[in-house]
Amino acid sequence: AGQQQEAQRVLDEFREACATPLEKLEKVVDSMVLEMEAGLAAEDGCLLKMLPSFVENLPKGTERGIYYALDLGGTNFRVLRAVFGGPGEGCMQESEIFTIPHDLMVGESDDLFDFIASKLRDFVLRETENKSPPPGRKRELGFTFSFPVMQTSVASGTLIHWSKGFKVAGTVGRDVVEVLREAISRQNLDMEVAALVNDTVGTLAGGRYINGDVMIAVILGTGTNACYVERAEAVPKWKGPPPKSGIHVINTEWGNFGSPTLPTTFADDDLDRESVNPSEHIFEKMMSGMYLGDLVRRVMLRLAKDAGYFGDSIPEKLTKKLALTTPDISKMHADDSPTLEVVGEILKKKLDLDPTRLEERRVVYSIIDIIARRGARLAAAAIVAVLRKIGRDGKSGNGTSKTVIAMDGGLYEHYTKFRDYLNEAFVDLLGEEAAKNVVIELSKDGSGIGAALLAACHSKYV
Ligand code: ADP
């Protein structure tokens, strides 16, 4: 009984520390708006990088012709061909996914890009005649490259560093478009890279094609990020000629947000300290798919240590990073059986906890609920911060125009309770009335088609 009481005490304390009542979320919104403004004013030294994407034109839905996309952002890359039919005609797309062999992820730049370009060439050469571009015209490609890049024009950008397990010699510091172009020409493939695109910007473009009211794109997957359409005058740090379109598409890199207004706990501090990038990406570490499962494990570990919970000695697996993943907690969170059977099964399978008592399973369920709810509400606050920044939160006198947020990512798509909590907090923050004009729409894999569209919008032939 003493043990259960102690566990309850730890849990209550944790719940309190994670609490996100509306007043607190409002403070998160305010501090994020301030950080966005700081990032738009200064080149470095800000939490939010607020990177101009150099995208001059967004799709209108009237695009026509054949364009390609190449999406490199993880262990898989995707090549895609899209045929846009013009006004009201929609588009057709075909794509293929390839896995990058591990030795190429840690090898030489030319080997990696030769591999990619050769797959691209195979894909292109399998096209039938009516799908190839008109004579005298090069094929054009949008290149989605989800690594930190210092963009220098719509079709050039320098790789700052590799991430996500890539460690390829000879690419850092170079223009990745040039690197890809050289590899394409070594394959004797007649193709031009017309746009270099961050995945959020691709998602925005894909969303815009279908719906002209899309102003923001958000990724909630392994990591999190967002971009949005900003007025050109609102970007003081921009030194180039003013864009003809009057807008900038800004990649916020909001995963790196941090603020004393965020409800962090011992679990967040521990996770951060033991991460590959301590004190960076604090916001992302509180709410994205890569981390939510591990936060739950860390609170369970605290219960094992402080309350002697989950057996007489500390379970070995509970001390192992990533023993519990976000899909695991999402499955447990969906368990509505009175005895929490699914929770029990996953605790057994993933952490070797067997058998577990009902009270223990209930406590685990509560931890999951607290962490997922906090993450989802913070995500909602971040979206509202962007809406407020552009005067689209329904409170700034722009109440009647519609605003759409194009959302992509496995976390939002597959984690039902997370999505429900996010949508609930979103409506709470905006108010029922304003929320009628602001909607979040799932835009699955919009970034591939978006990159092809951005190639079309920045084509040298139109
Ligand atoms: P990425 O962000 O890696 O480009 P996705 O957008 O597909 O790719 O997101 C994948 C992430 O989504 C996974 O890392 C995982 O954290 C999360 N995810 C996938 N399936 C689920 C699920 N069933 N429940 C919760 N999260 C999930």
Side-chain angles (χ1 to χ4, degrees):
Q3 185 197 53
Q4 185 61 30
Q5 245 171 16
E6 180 59 14
Q8 201 59 50
R9 193 189 61 75
V10 173
L11 185 64
D12 288 344
E13 225 176 81
F14 184 70
R15 182 183 286 111
E16 183 60 33
C18 287
T20 49
L22 215 49
E23 320 81 83
K24 210 161 183 177
L25 280 187
E26 286 288 357
K27 294 211 170 82
V28 174
V29 173
D30 291 343
S31 58
M32 187 141 168
V33 171
L34 287 176
E35 287 299 338
M36 291 174 71
E37 281 165 353
L40 290 172
E43 196 61 64
D44 328 279
C46 301
L47 285 175
L48 300 194
K49 288 203 193 80
M50 306 298 282
L51 304 167
S53 66
F54 292 78
V55 162
E56 276 271 346
N57 316 305
L58 283 167
K60 295 184 175 65
T62 55
E63 289 69 20
R64 196 190 292 275
I66 302 171
Y67 293 90
Y68 298 81
L70 171 67
D71 186 343
L72 176 64
T75 49
N76 292 324
F77 73 96
R78 192 156 75 114
V79 294
L80 175 143
R81 169 173 39 240
V83 184
F84 302 108
E89 294 297 318
C91 76
M92 291 188 327
Q93 65 180 87
E94 296 162 82
S95 70
E96 219 169 307
I97 290 179
F98 303 92
T99 301
I100 298 173
H102 183 260
D103 55 325
L104 290 182
M105 291 173 64
V106 293
E108 298 290 326
S109 190
D110 283 353
D111 294 337
L112 172 65
F113 282 87
D114 280 342
F115 177 76
I116 292 169
S118 75
K119 297 298 177 196
L120 182 62
R121 178 173 179 273
D122 294 349
F123 178 78
V124 166
L125 292 186
R126 255 176 271 126
E127 74 198 4
T128 53
E129 208 163 290
N130 61 357
K131 282 186 195 151
S132 40
R137 226 176 124 146
K138 276 189 160 192
R139 299 178 183 87
E140 289 180 296
L141 171 97
F143 182 21
T144 309
F145 185 72
S146 308
F147 297 94
V149 161
M150 177 56 96
Q151 197 116 8
T152 41
S153 78
V154 74
S156 62
T158 311
L159 177 63
I160 299 167
H161 57 79
W162 285 107
S163 61
K164 298 184 257 193
F166 281 77
K167 207 174 165 187
V168 180
T171 330
V172 171
R174 292 199 59 198
D175 174 5
V176 290
V177 171
E178 202 44 50
V179 173
L180 176 62
R181 248 185 219 135
E182 289 170 7
I184 288 174
S185 83
R186 283 196 292 273
Q187 297 294 323
N188 293 316
L189 180 60
D190 201 17
M191 183 178 257
E192 188 52 49
V193 184
L196 173 64
V197 182
N198 178 269
D199 56 348
T200 58
V201 179
T203 302
L204 183 84
R208 248 311 159 96
Y209 178 68
I210 298 166
N211 188 334
D213 296 324
V214 170
M215 295 294 281
I216 303 175
V218 175
I219 309 274
L220 275 171
T222 306
T224 183
N225 191 13
C227 75
Y228 72 103
V229 179
E230 181 61 280
R231 289 172 304 119
E233 311 86 79
V235 191
K237 71 176 176 184
W238 178 258
K239 295 289 179 278
K244 285 190 221 62
S245 56
I247 57 128
H248 283 294
V249 175
I250 300 288
N251 167 13
T252 63
E253 294 288 335
W254 78 15
N256 195 44
F257 179 60
S259 162
T261 61
L262 292 175
T264 51
T265 67
F266 71 88
D268 302 290
D269 298 343
D270 292 352
L271 184 150
D272 178 50
R273 195 170 346 96
E274 293 169 27
S275 69
V276 294
N277 53 349
S279 67
E280 288 170 17
H281 282 243
I282 297 298
F283 193 55
E284 179 166 86
K285 286 170 183 164
M286 297 176 83
M287 66 177 207
S288 80
M290 185 157 175
Y291 305 103
L292 291 177
D294 205 51
L295 286 173
V296 171
R297 177 190 68 83
R298 285 170 191 278
V299 182
M300 290 177 66
L301 182 60
R302 166 66 68 97
L303 280 171
K305 284 180 174 164
D306 288 10
Y309 228 49
F310 310 118
D312 297 332
S313 57
I314 293 168
E316 159 86 28
K317 287 257 174 87
L318 255 191
T319 63
K320 296 270 182 290
K321 243 190 215 175
L322 300 182
L324 210 54
T325 66
T326 300
D328 292 333
I329 68 163
S330 143
K331 281 189 206 103
M332 291 196 266
H333 209 170
D335 186 355
D336 53 10
S337 69
T339 50
L340 297 174
E341 294 307 309
V342 179
V343 174
E345 273 163 37
I346 292 177
L347 291 178
K348 175 177 170 185
K349 192 165 138 213
K350 289 309 194 80
L351 300 172
D352 293 337
L353 299 179
D354 184 42
T356 45
R357 291 180 288 114
L358 179 56
E359 298 90 90
E360 290 172 325
R361 297 197 292 279
R362 284 207 179 113
V363 166
V364 171
Y365 186 93
S366 296
I367 298 169
I368 294 170
D369 192 63
I370 292 166
I371 287 173
R373 187 164 185 273
R374 181 188 71 164
R377 290 173 70 82
L378 290 175
I383 300 172
V384 171
V386 180
L387 286 166
R388 193 157 298 169
K389 177 72 191 66
I390 57 174
R392 295 266 186 160
D393 61 346
K395 290 183 181 144
S396 327
N398 201 342
T400 47
S401 66
K402 269 228 173 292
T403 306
V404 176
I405 294 123
M407 173 76 81
D408 196 8
L411 183 66
Y412 186 84
E413 188 188 347
H414 299 298
Y415 196 158
T416 314
K417 282 230 164 73
F418 185 96
R419 186 172 62 233
D420 291 347
Y421 280 143
L422 191 160
N423 290 333
E424 184 186 277
F426 189 66
V427 174
D428 285 353
L429 278 163
L430 290 176
E432 293 272 354
E433 240 353 86
K436 284 181 189 151
N437 292 320
V438 189
V439 285
I440 300 174
E441 276 176 13
L442 187 66
S443 160
K444 209 170 131 46
D445 290 331
S447 86
I449 202 94
L453 281 160
L454 288 169
C457 294
H458 298 85
S459 164
K460 64 174 179 185
Y461 301 107
V462 288

